[in-house]
Structure formats: C-alpha cells, structure tokens
Amino acid sequence: MSNPRQPLKEERLNLEQQKKRAKDLLFEYRAYQELALKRFQQYHPKAFQIRDFAAFQPQLSDAQLVIARENGLPSWVKLKEHIQRIDQASDDISRGIMTAFDADLKTLHLRCGSDIANKLALAGFCGDFLEFSDPYCQGPIPSDSNLSRFLNIRAAFISEAYSVTLKDAQNCLEREYSQLCISHQYERVVLWFEHDSYDQLVLAHLLHHFWKIQSFPKHLELICIDSFPGVERFVGLGQLSSEALCTLWERRHPITRQQLQLGNRVWKALSAESPQALIEIVNTGTPEIPPMSKALRRHLQELPWVKNGLSLTQQLTLSILADKETMRVDKLFGTLVAEKEPLPYLGDTMYWYVLTQMLQSNCPPLEITTASLEEPWYKRVLQLTKAGHALVQGEVNWLEISISEIASVGIRLTSSQPVWMWDDLRNQPILQ
C-alpha cells in the first residue's frame, strides 16, 4: 500500500539570497521595525535577554546568525556549509558523477512509501529498497500475535477503505511483511522516516519487529527528521531533492536499545483496548525519538472530541468548507495539508476514506454537489449540509446525531456509552 502524499515543494537555499536577507533584516532592525525586532528576540541569544532594543546594536554577523537559525541551522558557517554541500551534490548529479554512498555494505533502505526510491537511485545509492507502508494510522490494529490473522484484518480494512481488491491488498501486505522478515540478512538496514503519525507508527512497528526477533543486521540505522534547512513547512522526505537526501545520509545514526524498547512499547500500546498506555508514553516526551510523542498525540486527536464528537481531521475539513462554501476534493485536501493540518500525515486516498465516513453516515455533515456526482472522487465538489453548519457552529455533537461505528486510532467506537474521546482542555483522552 503506497503512501500517495503530495508534499509541498522544497525550496533550495541560495547563498546570495540569504546574504541579502541578512542585510535587509539588519536595516529593518535598526529602523525598529516590529517584525525584525521579534525575529532577533526569537533567534539571537543576546537580543533574547534584553528589553531595551536600543541597548543592543547588532552587526551584519548578528543578522546572519538570525537568518541561519530561522533556516534551522545553528550558525552562518553551518548555513554556508549546508548550501555548499547541496550545490556540490547537485553539480555531481547533473554531470553524472555518482557517489556510491552505500556500496561499502549490502544495504536495504526501508521507507513507508515509494516517494524517495527514485531520488535515492538518482543520487547514486545502489542498495535495495523496501516499501513497507501498512497505514496503521487508520483502521484496527489487532493484538493478535498470529501474523496470518493480523494480515487478514488489515487487508480487509485496506480493501474496504481504499477501494482495492481484497486479493491485491493481501498480496501487497504479504510481500512487504515477508520481505521485512528477512531484512536482518542485510549487512545494513537504514530506516528513512519523518515526524508525522503515518511514519512514526510504521517506525514503531519496525522497531518492535527487530526487538521481538532479536536478530539484527550488523548495522541498523535511522534517519528521522522533522525539518530541513530552507523548507518553511516541512511535510516529509518526499518533498526533498536527491541532493538533500545525500546530506541526510550524513545524519543517520545507529538505532539504540532504548529506541527499540520505545518502539516495542508504542506498538503494544497501539493495539491496546484503551488509549491510556499511549498517553502515558506521550507524556514522557519520548526523548529516545523526539518526534514520536508529538505524532502519537496527533494520532490520539483523531478520537472524537468532547466538544463536538468530531475528529480533528473532520473539524478542519468542515471549517475549510464553512469558509469556502464549496470545494473540489483535491483542492480541499491541498488546503488541509498546506494550511490547516498541524502535522500532515494523510495521503489523498486516506483522506477520501475520512470524507466517505462522513458522506455515508445517517446524518452527513457534507454532501457532493449534484453536478459533480459522476466525476472521479478527487474532482467531486463538496459543500456543508445543515448538519455540517450546526456542527461548525457548535450547536450539536456528532456522536449524538450519528449512528456510525468506525475504527478510530485502532479503537472501536460506537454511539453507545462510554466511549473514549479527546478532551482538548485536558489535552488527553478521557472516557466519556
């Protein structure tokens, strides 16, 4: 099952442009422009400590430090080095000069999607690539230790939710899981992941897998990022160029025993009957893998919320439609990812499943306009219903007007009480 996310475009840093930005920032600071003062206060250690801006007279090097830190790098020197590495890699690729980064060992690159496979090959990586993309962020996660029964349940969900044949879903899962089971035969396995719940839940399963079998490749390594220099809104690895992926290779590190233990704990918590174990893990901050706690919290926010019975994705969807009145599904998805979703994780097919749940309920909050009914699903135009407007206005609760039964964050929910819900005031799930 591929992950058809369509991330925002990477913007490559240009040194001359960054020099100009630093000069402009310095000029704006000296003119006491409010935004420039705030940028210095946020990113410059000296400016952060003072209240009287007249007491701090920055030089160009100070403005350059602010620019570097805004781009996610600790200093201007590191910013220049980063740009030089990217430019050099770009020049090498364009001239056909390939560095075989992973040729020293028999290597497997493991990723929850195919979005970087071709880019790695273009950059000169020659190891094998395994896409392991069972979308645990949606549907039931059975605790059954029998792999055959587990895969049957997952295949049934994927077939129904994403409109693929059951046979195709089964074949895809069986291929991915069987290849995972022999991955330890490689000398080196590198896990390529980002910070959202789709990635982090798959990462948890992989770490659980290696912890359980206690049979590791000689080198088991992790690349896991939540930002990239120059990318203002980092969504995922798929938006990075081949040159950028080359620089990430330098940032990989061996997976520790503590990280394997964390993955094992998270995976067991995901298949539990309540979200209590997950929130306990979230509250630790997961220092072993910092993005994990934020991803798990976002995952739990797909529980129905106490205030309206809607998941966070449902709420964001209805709020966009309330503002735009009507919108095509593909445009709606783009707006959600680019502007509204705090931690984008859904692919477009996965998002259509969320919309379908609302469309097929007994009291749908949205509807397809008559003129677009015959269009492919991504071209259909949606608008709010009366129930949708009432939900946006906070006049009704979704669980009270809907008679649906869905698997939310792996937990079976029905309209009967009690039910696990997300309490935004307490910032945790409660039994309501």
Side-chain angles (χ1 to χ4, degrees), residues 12 33 35 105 107 191 205 232 256 259 284 292 361 368 379 426:
R12 181 177 300 173
Q33 293 186 18
L35 180 57
L105 296 171
T107 300
L191 311 183
H205 175 79
E232 184 174 353
T256 66
Q259 290 173 328
T284 69
M292 183 70 77
S361 71
I368 302 169
K379 289 186 177 181
R426 300 183 189 179

Side-chain angles (χ1 to χ4, degrees), residues 98-354:
M98 298 301 178
T99 301
F101 295 96
D102 54 353
D104 56 325
L105 296 171
K106 183 182 179 183
T107 300
L108 175 68
H109 301 279
L110 209 162
R111 166 93 176 120
C112 58
S114 59
D115 49 355
I116 67 171
N118 291 334
K119 294 177 182 180
L120 289 178
L122 181 62
F125 291 89
C126 55
D128 293 337
F129 188 92
L130 171 58
E131 175 184 351
F132 187 92
S133 53
D134 191 346
Y136 303 125
C137 56
Q138 288 186 328
I141 302 177
S143 58
D144 199 327
S145 60
N146 181 285
L147 182 58
S148 179
R149 287 195 292 266
F150 178 91
L151 294 184
N152 285 339
I153 292 172
R154 291 298 300 167
F157 166 76
I158 289 171
S159 174
E160 179 182 357
Y162 309 142
S163 299
V164 298
T165 68
L166 181 59
K167 183 178 180 180
D168 285 345
Q170 289 172 329
N171 289 342
C172 181
L173 291 180
E174 288 171 3
R175 181 177 64 254
E176 292 181 3
Y177 280 80
S178 63
Q179 291 177 345
L180 174 63
C181 287
I182 61 172
S183 61
H184 62 277
Q185 297 176 5
Y186 285 82
E187 295 176 281
R188 175 169 54 206
V189 174
V190 184
L191 311 183
W192 295 75
F193 283 86
E194 62 222 27
H195 58 309
D196 60 74
S197 60
Y198 184 108
D199 279 53
Q200 292 296 302
L201 270 57
V202 174
L203 175 58
H205 175 79
L206 297 178
L207 295 173
H208 157 78
H209 165 78
F210 286 111
W211 173 263
K212 179 182 65 174
I213 65 172
Q214 290 292 303
S215 181
F216 312 117
K218 184 178 180 180
H219 300 274
L220 181 60
E221 300 172 343
L222 175 64
I223 294 170
C224 183
I225 65 172
D226 58 6
S227 62
F228 191 83
V231 180
E232 184 174 353
R233 182 169 169 79
F234 177 74
V235 175
L237 295 174
Q239 76 192 104
L240 302 183
S241 64
S242 295
E243 301 91 309
L245 296 177
C246 293
T247 67
L248 291 184
W249 182 250
E250 304 167 5
R251 294 167 57 179
R252 73 192 192 284
H253 59 77
I255 291 176
T256 66
R257 181 179 179 84
Q258 291 73 26
Q259 290 173 328
L260 290 169
Q261 288 176 323
L262 173 63
N264 188 55
R265 286 182 58 207
V266 170
W267 182 253
K268 290 182 177 179
L270 286 169
S271 60
E273 294 183 355
S274 85
Q276 290 173 305
L278 274 181
I279 199 63
E280 289 174 4
I281 295 172
V282 169
N283 289 337
T284 69
T286 61
E288 307 91 335
I289 305 176
M292 183 70 77
S293 62
K294 294 179 181 179
L296 293 177
R297 187 179 298 278
R298 176 63 189 90
H299 181 59
L300 288 169
Q301 289 175 334
E302 285 303 282
L303 286 167
W305 285 38
V306 170
K307 64 180 181 181
N308 55 23
L310 296 167
S311 72
L312 180 54
T313 300
Q314 291 172 332
Q315 293 178 65
L316 295 175
T317 296
L318 298 189
S319 68
I320 295 170
L321 285 175
D323 181 51
K324 302 294 184 179
E325 295 187 1
T326 64
M327 187 174 277
R328 250 174 52 163
V329 171
D330 53 354
K331 302 296 184 183
L332 181 60
F333 177 65
T335 301
L336 176 75
V337 172
E339 301 176 17
K340 298 293 185 179
E341 170 58 58
L343 198 59
Y345 71 99
L346 289 171
D348 51 6
T349 305
M350 299 161 70
Y351 183 53
W352 177 243
Y353 168 64
V354 175

Side-chain angles (χ1 to χ4, degrees), residues 40-50 56 65-66 69:
F40 263 87
Q41 219 171 17
Q42 182 175 357
Y43 291 104
H44 198 289
K46 291 183 180 178
F48 180 77
Q49 299 171 4
I50 64 173
F56 177 53
L65 175 61
V66 172
R69 292 187 171 184

Side-chain angles (χ1 to χ4, degrees), residues 49-68:
Q49 299 171 4
I50 64 173
R51 294 185 179 180
D52 181 7
F53 290 104
F56 177 53
Q57 296 297 320
Q59 304 302 309
L60 179 58
S61 60
D62 296 300
Q64 290 174 338
L65 175 61
V66 172
I67 295 298

